Coordinates of all heavy atoms in Angstrom, one line a residue:
M1 N 24.7 16.7 -10.8 CA 23.6 17.1 -9.9 C 22.3 16.5 -10.3 O 21.5 16.1 -9.5 CB 23.4 18.7 -10.1 CG 24.3 19.4 -9.1 SD 24.2 21.2 -9.2 CE 25.6 21.6 -10.2
A2 N 22.1 16.3 -11.6 CA 20.9 15.5 -12.0 C 21.0 14.1 -11.5 O 20.0 13.5 -11.1 CB 20.9 15.4 -13.5
D3 N 22.3 13.6 -11.4 CA 22.4 12.3 -10.8 C 22.0 12.2 -9.3 O 21.4 11.3 -8.9 CB 23.9 11.8 -10.9 CG 24.3 11.4 -12.3 OD1 23.3 11.3 -13.2 OD2 25.5 11.3 -12.6
D4 N 22.3 13.3 -8.6 CA 21.9 13.3 -7.2 C 20.4 13.3 -7.1 O 19.8 12.6 -6.3 CB 22.4 14.6 -6.5 CG 23.9 14.5 -6.3 OD1 24.5 13.4 -6.5 OD2 24.5 15.5 -5.9
A5 N 19.7 14.1 -8.0 CA 18.3 14.1 -7.9 C 17.7 12.7 -8.3 O 16.8 12.3 -7.6 CB 17.8 15.2 -9.0
D6 N 18.3 12.1 -9.2 CA 17.9 10.7 -9.6 C 18.0 9.8 -8.4 O 17.2 9.0 -8.1 CB 18.6 10.2 -10.8 CG 18.1 10.8 -12.1 OD1 17.1 11.5 -12.0 OD2 18.7 10.6 -13.1
A7 N 19.2 9.9 -7.7 CA 19.5 9.1 -6.6 C 18.4 9.3 -5.4 O 17.9 8.4 -4.8 CB 20.9 9.3 -6.0
T8 N 18.1 10.6 -5.3 CA 17.1 10.9 -4.2 C 15.7 10.3 -4.6 O 15.1 9.7 -3.8 CB 16.9 12.5 -4.1 OG1 18.2 13.0 -3.7 CG2 15.9 12.8 -3.1
R9 N 15.4 10.4 -5.9 CA 14.1 9.9 -6.3 C 14.1 8.4 -6.2 O 13.1 7.8 -5.7 CB 13.9 10.3 -7.8 CG 12.4 10.1 -8.2 CD 12.1 10.6 -9.6 NE 12.5 12.0 -9.8 CZ 13.4 12.4 -10.7 NH1 13.9 11.6 -11.5 NH2 13.7 13.7 -10.8
R10 N 15.2 7.8 -6.5 CA 15.3 6.3 -6.4 C 15.2 5.9 -4.9 O 14.6 4.9 -4.6 CB 16.6 5.8 -7.0 CG 16.5 5.2 -8.3 CD 17.6 4.3 -8.7 NE 18.9 5.0 -8.6 CZ 19.4 5.8 -9.5 NH1 18.7 6.0 -10.7 NH2 20.5 6.4 -9.4
S11 N 15.8 6.6 -4.0 CA 15.7 6.3 -2.6 C 14.3 6.4 -2.1 O 14.0 5.8 -1.1 CB 16.7 7.2 -1.8 OG 16.1 8.4 -1.6
L12 N 13.5 7.2 -2.8 CA 12.1 7.3 -2.3 C 11.2 6.2 -3.0 O 10.1 5.9 -2.5 CB 11.5 8.6 -2.8 CG 11.8 9.8 -2.0 CD1 11.2 11.1 -2.6 CD2 11.3 9.7 -0.6
M13 N 11.8 5.5 -4.0 CA 11.0 4.5 -4.7 C 10.9 3.2 -3.9 O 11.9 2.7 -3.4 CB 11.6 4.3 -6.1 CG 11.2 5.4 -7.0 SD 11.9 5.1 -8.7 CE 11.0 3.7 -9.1
I14 N 9.7 2.7 -3.8 CA 9.6 1.4 -3.2 C 8.9 0.5 -4.2 O 8.2 0.9 -5.1 CB 8.8 1.4 -1.9 CG1 7.4 2.1 -2.1 CG2 9.6 2.2 -0.8 CD1 6.5 2.1 -0.9
S15 N 9.1 -0.8 -4.0 CA 8.4 -1.8 -4.9 C 7.0 -1.9 -4.5 O 6.5 -1.5 -3.4 CB 9.1 -3.1 -4.8 OG 8.8 -3.7 -3.5
C16 N 6.2 -2.5 -5.4 CA 4.8 -2.8 -5.1 C 4.7 -3.7 -3.8 O 3.8 -3.5 -3.0 CB 4.1 -3.4 -6.2 SG 3.8 -2.3 -7.6
A17 N 5.6 -4.7 -3.7 CA 5.6 -5.5 -2.5 C 5.8 -4.7 -1.2 O 5.1 -4.9 -0.2 CB 6.7 -6.6 -2.6
D18 N 6.7 -3.8 -1.3 CA 6.9 -2.9 -0.2 C 5.7 -2.1 0.1 O 5.3 -1.9 1.3 CB 8.1 -1.9 -0.4 CG 9.4 -2.7 -0.5 OD1 9.6 -3.7 0.1 OD2 10.3 -2.2 -1.2
A19 N 5.1 -1.6 -0.9 CA 3.9 -0.7 -0.7 C 2.8 -1.6 -0.1 O 2.0 -1.0 0.8 CB 3.4 -0.2 -2.1
L20 N 2.6 -2.8 -0.5 CA 1.6 -3.7 0.1 C 1.8 -3.8 1.6 O 0.9 -3.8 2.4 CB 1.6 -5.0 -0.6 CG 1.1 -5.1 -2.0 CD1 1.2 -6.5 -2.6 CD2 -0.4 -4.6 -2.1
E21 N 3.1 -4.0 2.0 CA 3.4 -4.2 3.4 C 3.1 -2.9 4.2 O 2.7 -3.0 5.3 CB 4.9 -4.5 3.5 CG 5.2 -5.9 3.2 CD 6.6 -6.3 3.6 OE1 7.2 -5.6 4.4 OE2 7.0 -7.4 3.1
L22 N 3.2 -1.8 3.5 CA 3.0 -0.5 4.2 C 1.5 -0.1 4.2 O 1.1 0.8 5.0 CB 3.8 0.6 3.5 CG 5.3 0.5 3.6 CD1 5.9 1.7 2.8 CD2 5.8 0.6 5.0
M23 N 0.7 -0.8 3.5 CA -0.7 -0.3 3.2 C -1.6 -0.2 4.5 O -2.3 0.7 4.7 CB -1.4 -1.1 2.1 CG -1.4 -0.3 0.8 SD -2.1 -1.2 -0.5 CE -1.0 -0.7 -1.8
T24 N -1.5 -1.3 5.3 CA -2.4 -1.2 6.5 C -1.9 -0.1 7.4 O -2.8 0.6 8.0 CB -2.5 -2.6 7.2 OG1 -1.1 -3.1 7.4 CG2 -3.3 -3.6 6.4
D25 N -0.6 0.0 7.6 CA -0.1 1.1 8.4 C -0.5 2.5 7.8 O -0.8 3.4 8.5 CB 1.4 1.0 8.6 CG 1.8 -0.1 9.6 OD1 0.9 -0.6 10.3 OD2 2.9 -0.5 9.6
H26 N -0.4 2.5 6.5 CA -0.8 3.7 5.8 C -2.2 4.2 6.1 O -2.5 5.3 6.4 CB -0.6 3.5 4.3 CG -1.1 4.7 3.4 ND1 -0.5 5.9 3.4 CD2 -2.2 4.7 2.6 CE1 -1.2 6.7 2.5 NE2 -2.2 6.0 2.1
L27 N -3.1 3.2 6.1 CA -4.5 3.5 6.3 C -4.7 3.8 7.8 O -5.7 4.6 8.1 CB -5.4 2.2 6.0 CG -5.5 2.0 4.5 CD1 -6.3 0.7 4.2 CD2 -6.3 3.2 3.8
E28 N -3.9 3.3 8.7 CA -4.0 3.6 10.1 C -3.3 4.9 10.4 O -3.4 5.5 11.5 CB -3.3 2.6 10.9 CG -4.0 1.2 11.0 CD -3.2 0.3 11.9 OE1 -2.2 -0.2 11.5 OE2 -3.7 0.0 13.0
G29 N -2.6 5.5 9.4 CA -1.8 6.7 9.7 C -0.6 6.4 10.6 O -0.1 7.3 11.3
A30 N -0.2 5.1 10.6 CA 0.9 4.7 11.5 C 2.3 4.7 10.8 O 3.2 4.3 11.5 CB 0.5 3.3 12.0
L31 N 2.4 5.2 9.6 CA 3.7 5.2 9.0 C 4.6 6.3 9.5 O 4.1 7.3 9.9 CB 3.5 5.4 7.5 CG 2.9 4.3 6.7 CD1 2.8 4.7 5.2 CD2 3.7 3.0 6.8
S32 N 5.9 6.0 9.5 CA 6.8 7.1 9.8 C 6.7 8.1 8.7 O 6.3 7.8 7.6 CB 8.2 6.5 9.9 OG 8.6 6.1 8.6
P33 N 7.1 9.3 9.0 CA 7.1 10.3 7.9 C 7.8 9.9 6.6 O 7.3 10.1 5.5 CB 7.7 11.6 8.5 CG 7.5 11.4 10.0 CD 7.5 9.9 10.2
A34 N 8.9 9.2 6.8 CA 9.7 8.8 5.6 C 8.9 7.7 4.8 O 8.9 7.8 3.6 CB 11.0 8.2 6.1
D35 N 8.3 6.8 5.5 CA 7.6 5.8 4.9 C 6.3 6.3 4.3 O 5.9 5.9 3.2 CB 7.2 4.6 5.8 CG 8.3 3.7 6.0 OD1 9.3 3.7 5.2 OD2 8.3 2.9 7.0
A36 N 5.7 7.3 4.9 CA 4.5 7.9 4.4 C 4.8 8.6 3.1 O 4.0 8.6 2.1 CB 3.9 8.9 5.4
E37 N 6.0 9.2 3.0 CA 6.4 9.9 1.8 C 6.7 8.9 0.7 O 6.3 9.1 -0.5 CB 7.6 10.8 2.1 CG 8.2 11.5 0.9 CD 7.3 12.5 0.3 OE1 6.3 13.0 1.0 OE2 7.4 12.8 -0.9
R38 N 7.3 7.8 1.0 CA 7.6 6.8 0.0 C 6.2 6.2 -0.5 O 6.1 6.0 -1.7 CB 8.4 5.6 0.6 CG 9.8 6.0 0.9 CD 10.6 4.8 1.3 NE 11.9 5.2 1.7 CZ 12.4 5.4 2.9 NH1 11.5 5.3 3.9 NH2 13.6 5.8 3.2
M39 N 5.3 6.0 0.4 CA 4.0 5.5 0.0 C 3.3 6.4 -0.9 O 2.8 6.0 -1.9 CB 3.2 5.2 1.3 CG 1.9 4.5 1.1 SD 2.2 2.8 0.7 CE 0.6 2.3 0.3
R40 N 3.3 7.7 -0.5 CA 2.6 8.7 -1.3 C 3.3 8.7 -2.8 O 2.5 8.8 -3.8 CB 2.7 10.1 -0.7 CG 1.9 11.1 -1.2 CD 2.2 12.5 -0.7 NE 3.6 12.9 -0.9 CZ 4.0 13.3 -2.1 NH1 3.2 13.3 -3.1 NH2 5.3 13.6 -2.3
A41 N 4.6 8.7 -2.8 CA 5.3 8.8 -4.1 C 5.0 7.6 -4.9 O 4.8 7.7 -6.1 CB 6.8 8.9 -3.8
H42 N 4.9 6.4 -4.3 CA 4.6 5.2 -5.0 C 3.2 5.2 -5.6 O 2.9 4.9 -6.7 CB 4.8 4.0 -4.1 CG 4.6 2.7 -4.9 ND1 5.6 2.1 -5.6 CD2 3.5 1.9 -5.0 CE1 5.1 1.0 -6.2 NE2 3.8 0.9 -5.8
L43 N 2.2 5.7 -4.7 CA 0.8 5.7 -5.2 C 0.6 6.7 -6.3 O -0.2 6.5 -7.2 CB -0.1 6.1 -4.0 CG -0.2 5.0 -2.9 CD1 -1.0 5.5 -1.8 CD2 -0.9 3.7 -3.5
E44 N 1.4 7.8 -6.4 CA 1.3 8.7 -7.4 C 1.6 8.0 -8.8 O 1.1 8.4 -9.8 CB 2.3 9.9 -7.2 CG 1.6 11.0 -6.5 CD 2.6 12.2 -6.3 OE1 3.6 12.3 -7.0 OE2 2.3 13.0 -5.5
G45 N 2.6 7.1 -8.7 CA 3.1 6.5 -10.0 C 2.5 5.1 -10.3 O 2.9 4.5 -11.3
C46 N 1.7 4.6 -9.4 CA 1.3 3.2 -9.5 C -0.2 3.1 -9.3 O -0.7 3.1 -8.2 CB 2.1 2.4 -8.5 SG 1.7 0.6 -8.7
E47 N -0.9 3.0 -10.5 CA -2.3 2.9 -10.4 C -2.8 1.6 -9.8 O -3.8 1.6 -9.0 CB -2.8 3.0 -11.8 CG -4.4 3.1 -11.9 CD -4.9 3.2 -13.4 OE1 -4.1 3.5 -14.3 OE2 -6.1 2.9 -13.6
A48 N -2.0 0.5 -10.0 CA -2.4 -0.8 -9.4 C -2.5 -0.7 -7.9 O -3.4 -1.2 -7.3 CB -1.4 -1.9 -9.9
C49 N -1.5 -0.1 -7.3 CA -1.5 0.0 -5.8 C -2.6 0.9 -5.4 O -3.2 0.7 -4.3 CB -0.2 0.5 -5.3 SG 1.1 -0.9 -5.3
G50 N -2.9 1.9 -6.1 CA -4.1 2.8 -5.8 C -5.4 2.0 -5.8 O -6.2 2.1 -4.9
V51 N -5.6 1.1 -6.8 CA -6.7 0.3 -6.8 C -6.8 -0.7 -5.7 O -7.8 -0.9 -5.0 CB -6.8 -0.5 -8.2 CG1 -7.9 -1.6 -8.1 CG2 -7.0 0.4 -9.3
F52 N -5.6 -1.3 -5.4 CA -5.5 -2.2 -4.3 C -5.8 -1.5 -3.0 O -6.6 -2.0 -2.1 CB -4.0 -2.7 -4.2 CG -3.9 -3.8 -3.2 CD1 -4.0 -5.1 -3.5 CD2 -3.6 -3.5 -1.9 CE1 -3.9 -6.1 -2.6 CE2 -3.4 -4.4 -0.9 CZ -3.6 -5.8 -1.3
L53 N -5.3 -0.3 -2.8 CA -5.6 0.5 -1.6 C -7.1 0.7 -1.4 O -7.6 0.6 -0.3 CB -4.8 1.8 -1.6 CG -4.9 2.7 -0.4 CD1 -4.3 1.9 0.8 CD2 -4.1 4.0 -0.6
D54 N -7.7 1.1 -2.5 CA -9.2 1.3 -2.5 C -9.9 0.0 -2.1 O -10.9 0.1 -1.3 CB -9.7 1.7 -3.9 CG -9.4 3.2 -4.2 OD1 -9.0 3.9 -3.2 OD2 -9.6 3.6 -5.3
Q55 N -9.5 -1.1 -2.6 CA -10.1 -2.4 -2.2 C -9.9 -2.7 -0.7 O -10.8 -3.2 -0.1 CB -9.5 -3.5 -3.1 CG -9.9 -3.4 -4.5 CD -9.2 -4.5 -5.4 OE1 -8.1 -4.9 -5.1 NE2 -9.9 -5.0 -6.3
L56 N -8.6 -2.4 -0.3 CA -8.3 -2.7 1.1 C -9.2 -1.8 2.0 O -9.7 -2.2 3.0 CB -6.8 -2.4 1.3 CG -6.3 -2.8 2.7 CD1 -6.5 -4.3 3.0 CD2 -4.8 -2.5 2.7
R57 N -9.3 -0.5 1.6 CA -10.1 0.5 2.4 C -11.5 0.0 2.5 O -12.2 0.0 3.5 CB -10.0 1.8 1.8 CG -10.5 2.9 2.7 CD -10.4 4.3 2.0 NE -9.0 4.9 2.1 CZ -8.3 5.3 1.0 NH1 -8.8 5.2 -0.2 NH2 -7.2 5.9 1.2
A58 N -12.1 -0.5 1.3 CA -13.4 -1.0 1.3 C -13.6 -2.2 2.2 O -14.6 -2.3 2.9 CB -13.8 -1.3 -0.1
T59 N -12.6 -3.1 2.2 CA -12.6 -4.3 3.0 C -12.7 -3.9 4.5 O -13.4 -4.4 5.3 CB -11.4 -5.1 2.8 OG1 -11.3 -5.5 1.4 CG2 -11.4 -6.4 3.6
I60 N -11.8 -2.9 4.8 CA -11.8 -2.5 6.2 C -13.1 -1.8 6.6 O -13.6 -1.9 7.7 CB -10.5 -1.5 6.4 CG1 -9.3 -2.3 6.3 CG2 -10.6 -0.8 7.8 CD1 -8.0 -1.5 6.0
G61 N -13.6 -1.0 5.7 CA -14.9 -0.3 5.9 C -16.0 -1.3 6.2 O -16.7 -1.2 7.2
L62 N -16.0 -2.4 5.5 CA -17.0 -3.5 5.7 C -16.8 -4.1 7.1 O -17.7 -4.3 7.8 CB -16.9 -4.6 4.6 CG -17.4 -4.1 3.2 CD1 -17.1 -5.2 2.2 CD2 -18.9 -3.8 3.2
T63 N -15.5 -4.3 7.4 CA -15.2 -4.9 8.7 C -15.7 -4.0 9.8 O -16.3 -4.5 10.8 CB -13.7 -5.1 8.8 OG1 -13.3 -5.9 7.7 CG2 -13.3 -5.8 10.1
M64 N -15.4 -2.7 9.7 CA -15.8 -1.8 10.7 C -17.3 -1.7 10.9 O -17.8 -1.5 12.0 CB -15.2 -0.4 10.5 CG -13.7 -0.4 10.8 SD -13.0 1.2 10.5 CE -11.4 1.0 11.4
D65 N -18.0 -1.7 9.7 CA -19.5 -1.6 9.8 C -20.1 -2.8 10.5 O -21.2 -2.7 11.0 CB -20.1 -1.5 8.3 CG -19.8 -0.1 7.8 OD1 -19.4 0.8 8.5 OD2 -20.0 0.0 6.5
A66 N -19.4 -3.9 10.5 CA -19.9 -5.2 11.0 C -20.0 -5.1 12.5 O -20.7 -5.9 13.1 CB -19.1 -6.4 10.6
G67 N -19.4 -4.2 13.2 CA -19.4 -4.1 14.6 C -18.3 -3.2 15.1 O -17.6 -2.7 14.3
P68 N -18.2 -3.1 16.4 CA -17.2 -2.3 17.0 C -15.8 -2.8 16.6 O -15.6 -4.1 16.7 CB -17.4 -2.4 18.5 CG -18.6 -3.2 18.7 CD -19.1 -3.8 17.4
A69 N -15.0 -2.0 16.1 CA -13.7 -2.5 15.6 C -12.8 -2.9 16.8 O -12.7 -2.1 17.7 CB -13.0 -1.4 14.8
E70 N -12.3 -4.1 16.8 CA -11.3 -4.4 17.8 C -10.0 -4.1 17.1 O -9.7 -4.7 16.1 CB -11.4 -5.9 18.2 CG -12.4 -6.7 17.4 CD -12.4 -8.1 17.8 OE1 -11.3 -8.7 18.0 OE2 -13.5 -8.7 17.9
E71 N -9.3 -3.1 17.6 CA -8.1 -2.6 16.9 C -8.5 -2.3 15.5 O -9.4 -1.7 15.2 CB -7.0 -3.7 17.0 CG -6.4 -3.8 18.4 CD -5.8 -2.5 18.9 OE1 -4.9 -2.0 18.2 OE2 -6.3 -1.9 19.9
F72 N -7.7 -2.9 14.6 CA -7.9 -2.5 13.2 C -7.8 -3.9 12.4 O -6.9 -4.2 11.8 CB -6.7 -1.6 12.8 CG -6.9 -1.0 11.4 CD1 -7.8 0.0 11.3 CD2 -6.1 -1.4 10.4 CE1 -8.0 0.7 10.1 CE2 -6.2 -0.7 9.1 CZ -7.2 0.3 9.0
A73 N -8.9 -4.6 12.7 CA -8.8 -6.0 12.2 C -9.0 -6.2 10.8 O -10.1 -5.8 10.2 CB -9.8 -6.8 13.0
V74 N -8.1 -6.7 10.1 CA -8.2 -7.1 8.7 C -8.0 -8.6 8.6 O -7.0 -9.1 9.1 CB -7.2 -6.3 7.8 CG1 -7.4 -6.7 6.3 CG2 -7.4 -4.8 8.0
D75 N -8.9 -9.2 8.0 CA -8.7 -10.7 7.8 C -7.5 -11.0 6.9 O -7.4 -10.6 5.8 CB -10.0 -11.2 7.1 CG -9.9 -12.7 6.9 OD1 -8.9 -13.3 7.3 OD2 -10.9 -13.3 6.4
P76 N -6.5 -11.6 7.5 CA -5.3 -11.9 6.8 C -5.6 -12.7 5.5 O -4.9 -12.5 4.5 CB -4.4 -12.8 7.8 CG -5.0 -12.5 9.1 CD -6.5 -12.2 8.9
A77 N -6.5 -13.6 5.5 CA -6.8 -14.4 4.3 C -7.3 -13.4 3.2 O -7.1 -13.7 2.0 CB -7.9 -15.4 4.7
R78 N -8.1 -12.4 3.6 CA -8.6 -11.4 2.6 C -7.4 -10.7 2.0 O -7.4 -10.4 0.8 CB -9.5 -10.5 3.3 CG -10.1 -9.4 2.5 CD -11.2 -9.9 1.5 NE -11.8 -8.8 0.7 CZ -12.1 -8.9 -0.5 NH1 -11.9 -10.0 -1.2 NH2 -12.6 -7.9 -1.1
I79 N -6.5 -10.3 2.8 CA -5.3 -9.6 2.3 C -4.5 -10.5 1.4 O -4.1 -10.1 0.3 CB -4.4 -9.2 3.5 CG1 -5.1 -8.3 4.5 CG2 -3.1 -8.5 3.0 CD1 -4.9 -6.9 4.4
D80 N -4.4 -11.8 1.7 CA -3.7 -12.7 0.9 C -4.3 -12.8 -0.4 O -3.7 -12.9 -1.5 CB -3.6 -14.1 1.6 CG -2.5 -14.1 2.7 OD1 -1.8 -13.1 2.8 OD2 -2.5 -15.1 3.4
A81 N -5.7 -12.9 -0.4 CA -6.4 -13.1 -1.7 C -6.2 -11.8 -2.6 O -6.0 -11.9 -3.8 CB -7.9 -13.3 -1.4
L82 N -6.3 -10.7 -2.0 CA -6.1 -9.4 -2.7 C -4.7 -9.3 -3.2 O -4.5 -8.9 -4.4 CB -6.4 -8.2 -1.8 CG -7.8 -7.9 -1.6 CD1 -8.0 -6.8 -0.6 CD2 -8.6 -7.5 -2.8
T83 N -3.7 -9.7 -2.4 CA -2.3 -9.7 -2.8 C -2.1 -10.6 -4.0 O -1.4 -10.3 -5.0 CB -1.4 -10.1 -1.7 OG1 -1.7 -9.3 -0.6 CG2 0.0 -10.0 -2.1
E84 N -2.7 -11.8 -4.0 CA -2.6 -12.7 -5.1 C -3.2 -12.2 -6.3 O -2.6 -12.3 -7.4 CB -3.3 -14.1 -4.6 CG -2.9 -15.2 -5.5 CD -1.4 -15.5 -5.6 OE1 -0.8 -15.4 -4.6 OE2 -1.0 -15.7 -6.7
L85 N -4.4 -11.6 -6.2 CA -5.1 -11.0 -7.4 C -4.2 -9.9 -8.0 O -4.0 -9.8 -9.2 CB -6.4 -10.4 -6.9 CG -7.2 -9.7 -7.9 CD1 -7.7 -10.6 -9.0 CD2 -8.4 -8.9 -7.3
F86 N -3.6 -9.1 -7.0 CA -2.8 -8.0 -7.4 C -1.6 -8.5 -8.2 O -1.2 -8.0 -9.3 CB -2.4 -7.3 -6.2 CG -1.5 -6.1 -6.4 CD1 -2.0 -4.9 -6.7 CD2 -0.1 -6.3 -6.2 CE1 -1.1 -3.8 -6.9 CE2 0.7 -5.2 -6.4 CZ 0.2 -4.0 -6.7
R87 N -0.9 -9.5 -7.7 CA 0.3 -10.1 -8.3 C 0.0 -10.6 -9.7 O 0.7 -10.5 -10.6 CB 0.9 -11.2 -7.5 CG 1.5 -10.6 -6.2 CD 2.7 -11.5 -5.8 NE 3.4 -10.8 -4.7 CZ 3.4 -11.2 -3.4 NH1 2.8 -12.3 -3.1 NH2 4.0 -10.5 -2.5
T88 N -1.2 -11.3 -9.8 CA -1.6 -11.9 -11.0 C -1.8 -10.8 -12.1 O -1.4 -10.8 -13.2 CB -2.9 -12.7 -10.9 OG1 -2.7 -13.6 -9.8 CG2 -3.3 -13.4 -12.2
E89 N -2.5 -9.7 -11.7 CA -2.7 -8.6 -12.6 C -1.5 -7.9 -13.0 O -1.3 -7.4 -14.2 CB -3.7 -7.6 -11.9 CG -5.1 -8.1 -11.9 CD -6.1 -7.1 -11.2 OE1 -5.6 -6.1 -10.7 OE2 -7.3 -7.4 -11.2
R90 N -0.5 -7.8 -12.1 CA 0.7 -7.1 -12.4 C 1.6 -8.0 -13.2 O 2.6 -7.5 -13.9 CB 1.5 -6.8 -11.1 CG 0.8 -5.7 -10.3 CD 1.0 -4.3 -10.9 NE 2.4 -3.9 -10.7 CZ 2.9 -2.7 -11.1 NH1 2.1 -1.9 -11.7 NH2 4.1 -2.4 -10.8
G91 N 1.4 -9.3 -13.1 CA 2.2 -10.2 -13.9 C 3.6 -10.4 -13.4 O 4.5 -10.9 -14.1
D92 N 3.8 -10.1 -12.1 CA 5.2 -10.5 -11.6 C 5.1 -11.9 -11.0 O 4.7 -12.2 -10.0 CB 5.7 -9.7 -10.4 CG 5.1 -8.3 -10.2 OD1 5.2 -7.5 -11.1 OD2 4.6 -8.0 -9.1
Ligands
ZN101 ZN1 2.7 -0.4 -6.9

């Protein structure tokens, strides 16, 4: 039974790369309930992704302050730069 609980927990676990892919949707509230739960579980255990999410939110905040938001525009280059920084810090 403990094994089942572990299996359930593992099925909820996503990698940091997966979390990064979900982050913009997470901020938009566009995740499916299952993905939202995985994201929440990952953020609970991963400080680095929490920091990354704060940076991403700040980036988006700046973008929105700059003018009327067209959709949910995030500069892909900015995301790439943050992702690179994040990978370097994580050492993967
Ligand atoms: Zn993470």
Side-chain angles (χ1 to χ4, degrees):
M1 276 180 256
D3 286 348
D4 286 350
D6 282 351
T8 300
R9 197 177 302 123
R10 258 198 304 280
S11 78
L12 281 176
M13 285 178 67
I14 55 175
S15 69
C16 288
D18 292 332
L20 289 176
E21 285 190 13
L22 294 177
M23 255 175 220
T24 50
D25 284 346
H26 172 70
L27 288 173
E28 289 181 289
L31 291 178
S32 67
D35 279 344
E37 178 62 21
R38 289 188 185 95
M39 189 70 190
R40 193 189 59 73
H42 184 84
L43 289 172
E44 267 181 18
C46 184
E47 189 179 341
C49 281
V51 171
F52 186 92
L53 185 61
D54 283 347
Q55 291 176 327
L56 187 59
R57 193 181 278 127
T59 302
I60 290 162
L62 290 173
T63 302
M64 285 181 166
D65 285 348
E70 7 179 316
E71 288 299 301
F72 192 70
V74 180
D75 181 359
R78 178 76 176 139
I79 302 258
D80 285 349
L82 284 173
T83 304
E84 194 55 42
L85 175 70
F86 177 84
R87 291 211 170 110
T88 306
E89 286 179 353
R90 292 282 289 181
D92 341 297

